[in-house]
Amino acid sequence: MPTKISRFLLLFLALFFALPEMHSQSAPQAGDAPWWKHAVFYEIYPRSYMDSNGDGYGDLNGIASKLDYLQALGVDAIWIAPCFPSPQVDFGYDVSDYENIDKTYGTLGDFDRLEKLGREHGIKIILDFVVNHTSDQHPWFLDSRSSRTAKKRNWYIWRDGKAPNQPPNNWISGFGGSAWQWDDKTNQYYYHYFYPQQPDLNWRNPAVVNAMYDTTAWWYKRGVAGFRLDAVDTLYEDPALKDNPVLPGKDDRGDPNMRNEYNQKLPEVHTALQGLRTVANKYDAVLIGETWTSDVNELKRYYGSRNDELQMPMDLMFINLKFSAPVFRQHIAGIDASGGWPVYVIGNHDKPRSWNRYGDGTHNDHIAKDMAALYLTLRGTPILYYGEEIGMQNNDPVRKEDVKDPVGRLTWPTDKGRDGERTPMQWNGTPNAGFTTGIPWLPIPVTYRTYNVADELQDPNSILNWYKGLLALRHKDPALIDGDYIALNQDDPNVLSYLRKHNDDAVLVVINMSAAPQKASFDLKPQGFNSGHAKTLMTTQNMGATQKLSEIALQPFAVYIGEVAK
Ligand code: GLC
């Protein structure tokens, strides 16, 4: 019979051992850091994640049924690509009602249930706010286009042509062709940076700005933890509608190349971001930005000069980097020193899958593990793209008539559009990869038979278990949560290495980014670590529990992660 004291001791021990488990269910909090700094985000393309009703399209109940999976993976927040009512011309990025759920994806009741279940799993919900434009079926636009004197005429950008049959200026749509659409009803053109079915809102009209701010508040009150802001760069246009400077040559849609000087990245964008942030602050919400930039200085601006814009502008430059140690070393150094909190992304619904993009065609699985080790151990917040954790591959359409993404039909066959990176999540080896009992809206590549969640969970060396291990480590190791980034062996052309140092502890990350065996050697005395050894935490190759730092032999594409202490 245990005594009272030993019963207390047993209870204490039970609680003590239960704690790490409990912690892994929510983003670790260290000091006063806001939750999103230590969270792992995960982008879900709702059409493709999990179909709960057999119609071939993913839905919110499908996502809810996978929260256990996401929790076990180590995800703290999911960003759901637009799930609002929409004619689906751009698969949800053409919203016809900002305050509801598209029936393909469920109901507001389903959303509330997902939000509640999410909370129980320690997973927050981030929605995708399409701020630049609505659908041409949105009631605001239906009113706007109804007459020149309509109440909401000025909610969009209407202009006369330059001359008969000539648009107001030379601006080109990001999806090809003129950015101006003639409308017979009122004999004027309206402006659309994206498809003609996506008319641009007029952000110079305070009524529009207020309506958009109110929409965010409406969702925050419903429990949304933040937004990913879509296409923020195109919010404002030059009121004088000056022609953009034309550059030599044509793009792959046959349009003249030009510098989008007067319809992109206008300074007023930052005023709008400050306004959206003011609302977000009232609800302790986070704003993630779709921020395509060409250098670190440009990216820095989105945080706001007083840290009053986006908390999380995405470093989308990462997506376009070549898989090479010096290239990544240089880029990370710039971002890490920029003063902003880095937000790393290696893939999304607009870019070919990371497995294909960084892969060399032969060692793609190894390279997928290298990329995971890299961006999941850096100082900053990572955003995973669904399926990346199982090594999902691009599955481009083979025939033009199968293409679903309109932009793919336009540029076929040079660019086959974005269907390839949006195919259904591969849950298991049964027909349709366990995604649907119906006909999936996009075809699933045959590789699902080996690259799927169920099979990979059984394989200790799978990409999925590598991700799970990395995320578990990331959630519990103070050096990975809060440590400084210190680049090591900066002249090495093949091996990328760095320390994440926190007080007296550090994690050493070593990645052989080459197809040849390499040797790496570290002297960490300058950083205050004299032992000359590391305790192995994770590695892709066979290594002892303790590793001598003066000589680490690395197989092609191998990763070594070890703990060094003073
Ligand atoms: C963003 C989205 C993309 C969409 C476009 C227009 O770039 O990521 O998928 O087509 O905005 O809304």
Side-chain angles (χ1 to χ4, degrees):
M1 269 300 264
T3 62
K4 219 175 182 182
I5 293 184
S6 65
R7 267 207 307 271
F8 179 74
L9 197 70
L10 279 175
L11 182 70
F12 173 79
L13 285 175
L15 269 175
F16 181 80
F17 285 111
L19 271 180
E21 270 303 297
M22 284 156 68
H23 278 170
S24 73
Q25 293 183 5
S26 60
Q29 296 293 318
D32 293 331
W35 67 271
W36 47 266
K37 280 200 172 172
H38 298 144
V40 170
F41 287 67
Y42 183 96
E43 179 190 354
I44 290 181
Y45 201 66
R47 221 174 168 73
S48 292
Y49 202 58
M50 181 64 202
D51 173 17
S52 72
N53 60 2
D55 65 359
Y57 302 102
D59 45 48
L60 297 188
N61 287 337
I63 297 174
S65 71
K66 296 299 179 186
L67 288 170
D68 287 346
Y69 166 74
L70 290 165
Q71 182 183 30
L73 176 61
V75 168
D76 306 296
I78 49 174
W79 142 31
I80 306 175
C83 52
F84 315 105
S86 159
Q88 307 289 344
V89 172
D90 193 16
F91 301 114
Y93 283 97
D94 46 325
V95 179
S96 54
D97 179 357
Y98 285 106
E99 295 176 1
N100 211 333
I101 298 292
D102 191 282
K103 56 182 180 334
T104 314
Y105 302 129
T107 62
L108 269 178
D110 295 335
F111 173 81
D112 291 340
R113 182 171 158 268
L114 174 63
E115 194 276 329
K116 180 171 169 285
L117 285 173
R119 231 177 316 124
E120 286 164 20
H121 284 78
I123 295 177
K124 296 181 194 287
I125 314 280
I126 305 293
L127 290 183
D128 202 321
F129 193 27
V130 188
V131 278
N132 175 70
H133 49 269
T134 68
S135 156
D136 62 350
Q137 299 307 309
H138 194 294
W140 298 345
F141 188 72
L142 295 180
D143 178 76
S144 187
R145 110 190 301 180
S146 66
S147 92
R148 288 197 185 200
T149 55
K151 204 163 147 242
K152 292 198 165 55
R153 183 67 171 181
N154 199 25
W155 280 46
Y156 295 83
I157 298 156
W158 292 96
R159 289 291 189 284
D160 292 328
K162 230 181 209 166
N165 297 321
Q166 268 188 44
N169 64 20
N170 72 350
W171 297 351
I172 295 292
S173 154
F175 286 154
S178 168
W180 294 96
Q181 176 70 31
W182 174 255
D183 200 45
D184 274 339
K185 174 102 190 176
T186 54
N187 290 329
Q188 274 195 317
Y189 288 88
Y190 69 84
Y191 175 66
H192 57 92
Y193 183 78
F194 295 97
Y195 294 124
Q197 295 89 338
Q198 295 169 301
D200 271 48
L201 283 161
N202 177 12
W203 271 76
R204 295 189 188 276
N205 179 347
V208 168
V209 175
N210 287 334
M212 297 305 269
Y213 290 175
D214 288 352
T215 296
T216 63
W218 191 87
W219 281 108
Y220 295 144
K221 286 183 197 142
R222 248 194 146 88
V224 163
F227 282 99
R228 176 260 190 188
L229 301 178
D230 182 64
V232 291
D233 286 332
T234 46
L235 283 186
Y236 285 88
E237 300 74 29
D238 170 40
L241 303 186
K242 288 193 219 52
D243 275 348
N244 279 328
V246 176
L247 305 170
K250 296 204 166 180
D251 64 19
D252 58 7
R253 296 175 191 131
D255 292 319
N257 288 325
M258 59 179 64
R259 206 172 51 242
N260 289 344
E261 196 168 317
Y262 296 110
N263 60 342
Q264 261 197 22
K265 303 198 180 198
L266 266 58
E268 293 90 326
V269 165
H270 297 279
T271 318
L273 295 181
Q274 285 158 16
L276 287 160
R277 176 66 180 274
T278 305
V279 186
N281 283 347
K282 288 190 197 143
Y283 299 90
D284 196 21
V286 67
L287 297 176
I288 304 173
E290 191 199 13
T291 39
W292 294 99
T293 60
S294 46
D295 61 46
V296 176
N297 280 330
E298 210 189 327
L299 183 63
K300 266 167 74 172
R301 282 186 219 137
Y302 292 93
Y303 294 93
S305 52
R306 284 181 224 92
N307 273 326
D308 52 356
E309 296 183 29
L310 305 175
Q311 296 101 321
M312 293 178 54
M314 287 187 267
D315 172 6
L316 296 168
M317 290 172 279
F318 224 72
I319 288 187
N320 293 323
L321 296 183
K322 185 173 155 266
F323 184 77
S324 126
V327 168
F328 273 94
R329 185 182 296 125
Q330 194 192 359
H331 181 77
I332 296 160
I335 293 286
D336 194 75
S338 76
W341 183 256
V343 180
Y344 293 113
V345 179
I346 65 168
N348 65 25
H349 62 281
D350 292 326
K351 291 284 170 186
R353 288 248 169 216
S354 53
W355 189 93
N356 302 77
R357 196 165 8 89
Y358 300 113
D360 63 357
T362 313
H363 308 94
N364 292 32
D365 284 358
H366 294 283
I367 293 173
K369 288 184 179 176
D370 289 350
M371 285 309 299
L374 168 61
Y375 93 114
L376 301 179
T377 62
L378 286 176
R379 193 184 71 92
T381 299
I383 306 181
L384 281 66
Y385 181 49
Y386 83 94
E388 161 195 308
E389 76 275 23
I390 53 169
M392 258 174 75
Q393 294 154 37
N394 238 62
N395 191 32
D396 281 332
V398 270
R399 305 177 316 172
K400 189 176 175 185
E401 55 269 39
D402 296 332
V403 178
K404 298 276 194 310
D405 181 18
V407 88
R409 286 197 292 271
L410 210 65
T411 45
W412 185 271
T414 357
D415 178 348
K416 295 180 172 143
R418 299 167 294 179
D419 291 355
E421 56 262 31
R422 298 172 172 181
T423 58
M425 178 68 176
Q426 296 159 197
W427 293 105
N428 56 46
T430 66
N432 298 329
F435 162 72
T436 181
T437 51
I439 301 164
W441 79 285
L442 280 178
I444 299 171
V446 283
T447 46
Y448 83 89
R449 293 201 189 107
T450 41
Y451 291 84
N452 66 63
V453 171
D455 286 317
E456 290 194 36
L457 282 175
Q458 304 304 317
D459 171 5
N461 294 321
S462 65
I463 297 176
L464 179 56
N465 276 321
W466 181 247
Y467 265 79
K468 281 184 83 168
L470 286 166
L471 292 180
L473 191 61
R474 190 191 160 88
H475 276 95
K476 67 167 192 261
D477 195 304
L480 289 184
I481 294 171
D482 265 335
D484 294 337
Y485 167 84
I486 301 168
L488 300 170
N489 295 7
Q490 300 203 49
D491 294 330
D492 195 316
N494 300 302
V495 182
L496 181 74
S497 336
Y498 46 89
L499 267 194
R500 296 290 314 283
K501 180 173 180 282
H502 185 253
N503 301 332
D504 286 349
D505 296 307
V507 169
L508 169 69
V509 180
V510 186
I511 307 171
N512 178 5
M513 294 175 80
S514 80
Q518 303 290 341
K519 284 200 163 58
S521 166
F522 301 97
D523 173 9
L524 300 180
K525 286 195 202 84
Q527 283 81 29
F529 299 100
N530 298 325
S531 82
H533 288 87
K535 188 179 128 208
T536 303
L537 294 171
M538 287 184 73
T539 172
T540 52
Q541 63 186 26
N542 265 336
M543 284 178 116
T546 306
Q547 176 62 45
K548 218 166 134 200
L549 293 178
S550 57
E551 190 175 308
I552 302 186
L554 296 156
Q555 290 165 5
F557 300 108
V559 177
Y560 177 78
I561 302 176
E563 184 180 305
V564 285
K566 287 201 167 165

